[in-house]
Amino acid sequence: MIPVTILTGFLGSGKTTLLKRILNEKHGMKIAVIENEFGEENIDNEILVQDTSEQIIQMSNGCICCTIRGDLSRVLSDLAAQKQSGKLDFDRVVIETTGLANPGPVAQTFFMDDQIASEFLLDAIITLVDAKHANHQLDEHEVVQRQVGFADRLFITKADLVDEAQLGDLRHRLLHMNPKAAIKVVNFGDADIKEIFDLRGFNLNSKLEIDPDFLVEDEHAHNHAHAHDEHGHTHGHDHDHANCDHDHGHCDHEGHEG
């Protein structure tokens, strides 16, 4: 089973900075990074030249990067086939959603498609949150609420641009929206790569308890499955982080203190 990490977060939250590190840092891991455009213009994509005829690009540190505009299942199947044939060598996959995307349908792919489910393991959904703009974005954009609600781990970026009181308020809001996700403040997109992989954070049963329509193919039904209070908060997203033994390092109960 090839572990998969979904990287999400609104425009400007630091995903591109983090991806550049993954694709260029000498970390010794062979990672396939999928830039998932879903047919829309990827506004925050600075990594790849859009006009390239190459769909898959080999990076200098052994990682692989590919941009897709079509079906995620097809690309994952193709990657798995090339790995099995020896054409590509990678140990894990990172999928970057666009800043405007709900990560739910991406996560669904790993449960709705039997072939994908037999070859790939959804390890965790990582959401980057821009400390300076997050409260406004959460008020204005339901997709940002979903990005936070689906997270197994939350990285707060740009914390140096707000004061301690604002940061504390944001932590409280994120904790209220998603009480089970580990929260950590990081420099702009500069999260420790070891804190991104092998979290074993995604819990399908818990997801179904909160969002019974998670495995419903009708995306419209899924998109309206979460309940929101009058402040636009998503309630009750419940991952099984209680065990704290899946290499969170600290499960971020201490991480909530910075």
Side-chain angles (χ1 to χ4, degrees):
M1 297 284 282
I2 303 167
V4 177
T5 302
I6 296 174
L7 182 63
T8 186
F10 202 64
L11 302 174
S13 60
K15 297 191 306 298
T16 299
T17 304
L18 183 55
L19 277 179
K20 283 180 176 176
R21 286 185 52 234
I22 290 172
L23 290 169
N24 294 293
E25 191 174 283
K26 291 184 174 15
H27 43 61
M29 292 183 276
K30 293 183 173 65
I31 306 166
V33 174
I34 298 175
E35 287 257 297
N36 200 338
E37 297 192 23
F38 286 121
E40 64 189 66
E41 182 183 0
N42 194 356
I43 300 169
D44 53 350
N45 176 15
E46 301 171 6
I47 293 181
L48 297 179
V49 178
Q50 292 295 315
D51 295 332
T52 179
S53 58
E54 292 284 333
Q55 186 179 37
I56 298 176
I57 298 173
Q58 187 81 33
M59 308 305 287
S60 60
N61 67 346
C63 291
I64 299 160
C65 190
C66 58
T67 299
I68 68 169
R69 294 175 177 79
D71 180 56
L72 178 61
S73 298
R74 178 182 53 78
V75 174
L76 287 167
S77 296
D78 184 50
L79 280 176
Q82 292 197 53
K83 176 178 168 67
Q84 289 164 7
S85 69
K87 289 182 180 179
L88 293 177
D89 183 16
F90 61 92
D91 304 315
R92 62 180 69 250
V93 174
V94 174
I95 299 173
E96 184 214 12
T97 68
T98 69
L100 304 174
N102 170 13
V106 185
Q108 278 182 312
T109 302
F110 297 92
F111 303 97
M112 303 292 284
D113 185 307
D114 290 341
Q115 181 187 354
I116 300 302
S118 68
E119 296 173 326
F120 293 93
L121 169 70
L122 180 53
D123 181 60
I125 297 176
I126 309 288
T127 299
L128 274 61
V129 179
D130 174 347
K132 184 172 177 60
H133 300 103
N135 277 311
H136 173 71
Q137 292 167 348
L138 285 164
D139 291 339
E140 296 292 321
H141 303 284
E142 184 178 345
V143 69
V144 183
Q145 299 169 21
R146 296 191 173 283
Q147 290 169 354
V148 170
F150 268 99
D152 299 296
R153 173 160 287 190
L154 291 159
F155 287 127
I156 300 177
T157 63
K158 300 186 183 179
D160 58 323
L161 301 180
V162 300
D163 60 33
E164 284 298 319
Q166 290 173 298
L167 185 59
D169 288 344
L170 178 58
R171 280 184 178 278
H172 180 76
R173 184 172 187 179
L174 295 176
L175 188 61
H176 177 72
M177 295 175 69
N178 188 342
K180 296 297 185 180
I183 301 175
K184 183 165 186 179
V185 174
V186 299
N187 293 326
F188 186 79
D190 196 28
D192 186 342
I193 288 177
K194 294 184 180 66
E195 295 184 326
I196 296 171
F197 301 129
D198 298 322
L199 303 183
R200 298 296 184 263
F202 193 89
N203 187 304
L204 179 60
N205 290 331
S206 294
K207 184 76 67 186
L208 288 169
E209 287 177 16
I210 305 310
D211 186 354
D213 292 324
F214 180 68
L215 295 184
V216 175
E217 292 199 45
D218 179 2
E219 187 177 326
H220 178 77
H222 174 71
N223 280 346
H224 294 277
H226 283 292
H228 301 285
D229 68 13
E230 69 273 15
H231 300 295
H233 295 157
T234 305
H235 288 286
H237 182 77
D238 184 19
H239 290 302
D240 183 14
H241 286 274
N243 295 331
C244 298
D245 59 0
H246 40 258
D247 197 25
H248 274 317
H250 41 253
C251 200
D252 275 303
H253 295 301
E254 68 207 46
H256 286 297
E257 299 174 359

